[in-house]
Amino acid sequence: MSLPAIRRNNVLLLFGEFVAEHAANGAEPLGLAARFAQKLQISASMWSQIKKGRVISDKLARQIESHCGKAPLWLDAPQAAEPLPDLGEERFVELARQAYRAQNARGKRALRTILLEHANPPQAQSPR
């Protein structure tokens, strides 16, 4: 796995821990992404870009580690096999489960086909 992918997985793991901690204290999930961005001292827009795959620079990685109480280079080493699912992912899985259960065999195959088509989106071709 590449360093950008490791960093992204690890920061998503930190976000999952942040959400779990705040949810355990009764916090509403709405606005937690912005609060996590504040904790990291980055903009909500930057946090959104990171979640979508923006590369985390060395400087930003050290900043994230510092604000989350992690040792230097913690973000650069694999911490978990997969990042914890976020609330949006959980809602999607539940919606997919409901849609799947409501379908007959043909509908279930169609849903599966759609998901398989989107599981590995084609790479954008470079301009010539």
Side-chain angles (χ1 to χ4, degrees):
M1 185 182 302
S2 67
L3 182 59
I6 291 170
R7 285 180 176 172
R8 182 174 179 275
N9 282 348
N10 288 341
V11 78
L12 290 175
L13 181 67
L14 291 172
F15 179 60
E17 291 172 356
F18 180 84
V19 169
E21 176 184 327
H22 283 76
N25 293 330
E28 291 293 322
L30 193 61
L32 285 180
R35 289 175 59 188
F36 186 67
Q38 287 176 334
K39 176 180 179 170
L40 302 181
Q41 294 186 354
I42 60 174
S43 69
S45 173
M46 172 70 83
W47 172 238
S48 179
Q49 291 172 31
I50 290 170
K51 289 191 299 184
K52 292 177 183 175
R54 179 183 176 135
V55 174
I56 299 172
S57 68
D58 291 340
K59 181 179 177 182
L60 180 57
R62 303 299 77 87
Q63 178 180 328
I64 291 169
E65 291 161 347
S66 173
H67 291 296
C68 290
K70 300 295 181 185
L73 303 177
W74 183 91
L75 217 57
D76 296 354
Q79 303 298 326
E82 263 185 53
L84 297 174
D86 64 19
L87 295 174
E89 182 179 345
E90 292 294 338
R91 284 191 295 264
F92 173 79
V93 169
E94 181 57 33
L95 179 63
R97 182 177 294 117
Q98 290 172 5
Y100 184 83
R101 290 177 178 169
Q103 299 299 314
N104 60 19
R106 175 186 252 168
K108 289 176 181 179
R109 281 192 304 273
L111 287 170
R112 186 176 185 277
T113 299
I114 291 168
L115 289 174
L116 287 172
E117 288 172 357
H118 292 278
N120 296 312
Q123 299 296 322
Q125 294 182 352
S126 59
R128 293 178 186 198

